[in-house]
Amino acid sequence: MKRMIAVVLALALLLGGVRGVTAMEMEQVTSDTLYVRQVEGMGEDFILGADVSSLLAEEASGVVYRDFAGQPQDMLKVLADNGVNYVRVRVWVDPFDKDGRGYGGGSYTAATAAEIGARAAKYGLKLLVDFHYSDFWADPSKQMVPKAWAGLSVQAKAERIKAYTAESLQLIRDAGADVGMVQIGNETNNGICGESYFDDMAVLYQAGAQAVRDFDPEILIVIHYSEPSLGHADVAEDLVHSGVDYDVFATSYYPFWHGTLEDLRESLVAVAERTGKRVMVAETQWIYTDADGDGSGNSAGPGSGYESIYPFTVQGQSREIRDVAATVASVDKGIGVFYWEAGWIPVPGEDWVERSAKWERFGSGWAASYAGEYDPNDAGRYYGGSACDNMALFDFAGNPLESLKTFALLRTGNYVPPVADALDAVSVTLGVGESVALPDTVPVVFTDGSQDQREVVWNDDEIQAVSTKTPGKFVVHGRAEGFEALCYVDVAENNYLINGSFEEEDRSMWTITAIASGDQADFQVKSADAYSGEVSLHFWNGAAVEWRCEQTVTDLPDGAWRVSVKGQGGDVGNDADIHLYVISDGQTYTAPMILRGWADWQEAVLEHIPCASGTLTVGVYVRCQGGGWGTFDDFLLNPEK
Ligand code: CA
């Protein structure tokens, strides 16, 4: 019987009986304040989606969403009325402990996706079902197998995935949802369903994909990775070669973590050109306020420096949505964008205790304590509320933000006279011992994204608190144009050596001299073996080595100097001689470097080095037995105060 209903519904879909509200039919959305640059060439079918996974848990916790008239309204209708045409819902297999208590994050199963999807369909919103194939969050850091599937072989897991996907889709469609896309896994860069070998992953992807194809060939099958990368094209191609039948390669794109719009575009273009697959952004979001609404820390916010990408304002959020949509639309095969968690706002409550009780009971926080049994190291420790209430499209009280209108205004643009929107943060790097000087002006950012300089008044007490005696970081606030100004002050160690950490590609100022024969030392690019950055001075040889590496600096002011270097390594033998040295005014000064093992960084220091000539040579010397190894990093040369 259920099958009959599905067939009838599928027929109705084919005949165009159920379809989204088009831009023409939608009541005209207008804004007196929002500046939206038109996205040219964005088709009517371009997906402007929102992830609404937290909706039911939020409602159960007492959250009320409102429309622009201030009236309580179904959040899904408010989204649809403002240009959103698709929703996305995450689905977990069994996000409950043995007593039936939810893990949180909505504790979503196929049944909840069915409920949200059916409601969304009433407003013409299509549904993207986001199968994690896990009992809780799946992302690049974890892809845990569902409890009930633990210990199964890859083939057995594939069977389970196929059956589970088919049953879930049937349930979701029977409820009345308009399923347009299905994700086979979530941010599966490093694995899926507990498997991390690519060949095994391909078997699981194909199991899910096959279930979707068999269920309805019209549904688009989506593979989803995090963080745009040129490597996505390799993966997308490998999937094809491995026989994975899919339609869309999607990426997450969080501008505060994932590089520039150009990086995003290059990644999407590479996938599209090499595979012909459609591409989209499955998750993106931006910060509209530096406030935290529920006392549960947010994943991105104040003090981060991210405000230089877009201001932490409603207009900044709108610009981010517009720019990501425009970037995807500029790619031939770009089909759309989903905003992540449009409505995950604070649950009502006098204080943290009251809110926390709701997160635990209704799963309206990112994790409940009950998730600890399944995910002890993350959810089990840090369970709490919404980590993105400062990035939702509704304010803390449930009122829609003006930025929500962006979706409806993208195709036409909305050109109101630009006004000042925020100040861009500025940053200053000072050397140890330098006097504190901050800029007289700061950039004001206008609603159209343009900038101009304005005079700023800094907080005197905060300037006084900046100490340059030792390295450190400070934030100084100020006022300009009626906005709060921010200056990040970084007091850094000066370095009279050039490229002391080897990160710059030109390392010609360093001279490596081999005293023994054969390979002695080189510059190695490997962050695990570097003290800072990713490049270090490295040695290893099966035979005994003897070498030095040094740099000579000239025109130094008269005075006493301090030199230091970091080192790690081992197996150098009892007769090894490894030391830091300085040659100044014809004298050589040395300090031994003892290597104590991998990643156990030691420091060699030379102090009170006089230098009258203004010329000084700094280096390391290594003589050790075969099999000895190590790296040196972060040479520092500074005058003593
Ligand atoms: Ca929060």
Side-chain angles (χ1 to χ4, degrees):
M1 194 60 202
K2 276 184 174 175
R3 184 155 291 254
M4 282 294 288
I5 292 168
V7 170
V8 171
L9 253 172
L11 261 176
L13 277 166
L14 282 175
L15 299 171
V18 178
R19 63 185 173 84
V21 180
T22 68
M24 289 294 284
E25 291 161 348
M26 198 167 61
E27 208 172 310
Q28 190 80 35
V29 172
T30 60
S31 175
D32 297 334
T33 55
L34 203 64
Y35 187 100
V36 181
R37 203 176 293 276
Q38 183 188 16
V39 179
E40 282 171 41
M42 178 184 276
E44 280 292 318
D45 54 351
F46 193 82
I47 294 165
L48 297 168
D51 193 302
V52 295
S53 298
S54 62
L55 179 61
L56 300 184
E58 289 281 281
E59 288 174 343
S61 300
V63 167
V64 175
Y65 299 96
R66 294 173 190 278
D67 60 20
F68 278 104
Q71 296 305 306
Q73 184 55 270
D74 188 340
M75 185 187 89
L76 297 170
K77 181 174 190 322
V78 183
L79 295 179
D81 285 347
N82 288 280
V84 171
N85 55 22
Y86 230 108
V87 293
R88 176 177 186 258
V89 177
R90 58 179 167 271
V91 173
W92 292 314
V93 176
D94 178 30
F96 301 97
D97 74 2
K98 58 187 182 315
D99 299 318
R101 296 173 300 193
Y103 289 168
S107 305
Y108 283 115
T109 62
T112 33
E115 189 177 339
I116 293 178
R119 253 168 68 178
K122 283 197 301 186
Y123 309 115
L125 297 166
K126 293 178 78 112
L127 177 69
L128 162 55
V129 182
D130 172 14
F131 287 115
H132 285 220
Y133 299 114
S134 182
D135 285 346
F136 208 37
W137 298 102
D139 58 40
S141 68
K142 49 188 169 190
Q143 291 284 340
M144 288 180 290
V145 64
K147 294 181 288 291
W149 305 354
L152 295 184
S153 68
V154 172
Q155 272 312 325
K157 268 186 200 172
E159 289 304 316
R160 298 298 284 268
I161 284 180
K162 196 171 167 192
Y164 164 79
T165 303
E167 285 159 22
S168 300
L169 289 177
Q170 192 66 55
L171 180 82
I172 292 166
R173 178 172 281 175
D174 287 352
D178 182 5
V179 180
M181 283 196 274
V182 173
Q183 241 180 264
I184 310 299
N186 191 73
E187 294 192 338
T188 54
N189 305 44
N190 300 318
I192 180 170
C193 199
E195 301 298 334
S196 54
Y197 287 108
F198 188 81
D199 290 351
D200 295 339
M201 291 168 65
V203 169
L204 302 186
Y205 286 132
Q206 179 51 23
Q210 188 62 55
V212 180
R213 279 283 185 265
D214 292 348
F215 178 74
D216 180 351
E218 297 295 311
I219 293 176
L220 295 179
I221 297 167
V222 183
I223 302 291
H224 176 214
Y225 271 48
S226 171
E227 179 153 15
S229 149
L230 288 178
H232 283 186
D234 297 331
V235 174
E237 227 169 39
D238 289 346
L239 288 168
V240 173
H241 294 151
S242 301
V244 178
D245 176 21
Y246 72 103
D247 305 300
V248 182
F249 193 94
T251 184
S252 296
Y253 176 65
Y254 295 95
F256 33 85
W257 296 325
H258 293 165
T260 64
L261 290 164
E262 192 47 37
D263 296 333
L264 170 63
R265 195 184 132 75
E266 283 178 3
S267 169
L268 299 175
V269 166
V271 171
E273 283 183 350
R274 278 171 50 189
T275 64
K277 299 293 184 188
R278 281 165 267 199
V279 292
M280 70 175 189
V281 168
E283 296 180 17
T284 191
Q285 60 180 178
W286 193 253
I287 305 146
Y288 80 87
T289 174
D290 55 13
D292 171 24
D294 66 357
S296 187
N298 292 333
S299 56
S304 55
Y306 300 144
E307 55 274 76
S308 290
I309 308 174
Y310 296 100
F312 294 171
T313 60
V314 170
Q315 178 68 53
Q317 197 179 36
S318 168
R319 282 174 52 208
E320 195 264 354
I321 294 168
R322 183 267 167 205
D323 287 353
V324 175
T327 301
V328 177
S330 76
V331 179
D332 235 7
K333 298 276 185 177
I335 60 168
V337 174
F338 284 82
Y339 194 85
W340 200 67
E341 283 289 9
W344 205 352
I345 60 177
V347 299
E350 282 298 305
D351 54 19
W352 193 88
V353 175
E354 279 190 32
R355 286 190 294 270
S356 180
K358 290 184 173 168
W359 302 331
E360 289 286 283
R361 182 168 170 207
F362 302 111
S364 45
W366 84 268
S369 63
Y370 313 121
E373 61 158 39
Y374 184 66
D375 180 18
N377 294 329
D378 192 9
R381 283 188 199 171
Y382 308 114
Y383 59 87
S386 169
C388 57
D389 51 52
N390 62 334
M391 298 186 245
L393 297 173
F394 291 80
D395 69 14
F396 296 162
N399 301 297
L401 298 171
E402 197 73 5
S403 47
L404 174 57
K405 296 178 178 175
T406 310
F407 299 102
L409 298 171
L410 284 173
R411 288 187 181 83
T412 54
N414 197 56
Y415 297 98
V416 293
V419 295
D421 184 42
L423 303 175
D424 196 357
V426 291
S427 54
V428 170
T429 302
L430 300 171
V432 170
E434 265 187 69
S435 54
V436 179
L438 303 191
D440 299 328
T441 63
V442 291
V444 58
V445 184
F446 292 86
T447 44
D448 65 348
S450 64
Q451 295 199 359
D452 201 4
Q453 293 287 327
R454 291 289 188 277
E455 275 185 30
V456 61
V457 180
W458 297 110
N459 181 316
D460 259 338
D461 293 343
E462 290 182 0
I463 293 179
Q464 296 301 323
V466 176
S467 162
T468 63
K469 286 205 178 83
T470 54
K473 292 182 189 301
F474 302 87
V475 178
V476 178
H477 295 83
R479 299 293 294 179
E481 194 87 8
F483 294 104
E484 183 173 77
L486 265 181
C487 183
Y488 295 101
V489 182
D490 191 0
V491 179
E493 197 99 57
N494 255 322
N495 196 356
Y496 281 77
L497 291 168
I498 304 164
N499 203 8
S501 186
F502 314 113
E503 299 301 315
E504 303 298 322
E505 240 172 80
D506 177 7
R507 301 181 189 98
S508 59
M509 67 295 293
W510 290 103
T511 308
I512 298 175
T513 306
I515 302 168
S517 60
D519 290 338
Q520 299 290 298
D522 55 10
F523 297 106
Q524 176 184 258
V525 182
K526 187 178 176 188
S527 52
D529 281 346
Y531 183 76
S532 72
E534 56 179 8
V535 188
S536 60
L537 171 62
H538 164 260
F539 71 96
W540 179 88
N541 196 317
V545 297
E546 185 177 8
W547 57 274
R548 65 175 74 246
C549 175
E550 64 185 33
Q551 176 179 152
T552 298
V553 275
T554 57
D555 301 320
L556 294 173
D558 197 10
W561 295 82
R562 182 184 193 277
V563 180
S564 63
V565 67
K566 299 285 201 300
Q568 58 141 12
D571 303 331
V572 292
N574 292 332
D575 298 331
D577 178 5
I578 299 173
H579 63 255
L580 168 70
Y581 64 88
V582 176
I583 305 168
S584 176
D585 299 338
Q587 285 274 346
T588 301
Y589 306 83
T590 65
M593 167 68 84
I594 312 294
L595 301 178
R596 299 187 188 280
W598 182 72
D600 189 358
W601 288 94
Q602 305 295 316
E603 188 177 43
V605 182
L606 283 166
E607 291 177 298
H608 319 310
I609 308 290
C611 182
S613 65
T615 298
L616 209 148
T617 298
V618 174
V620 286
Y621 168 87
V622 174
R623 178 174 54 75
C624 74
Q625 66 181 17
W629 57 275
T631 61
F632 300 94
D633 207 356
D634 287 28
F635 277 93
L636 269 177
L637 168 65
N638 275 308
E640 280 169 356
K641 308 293 168 333

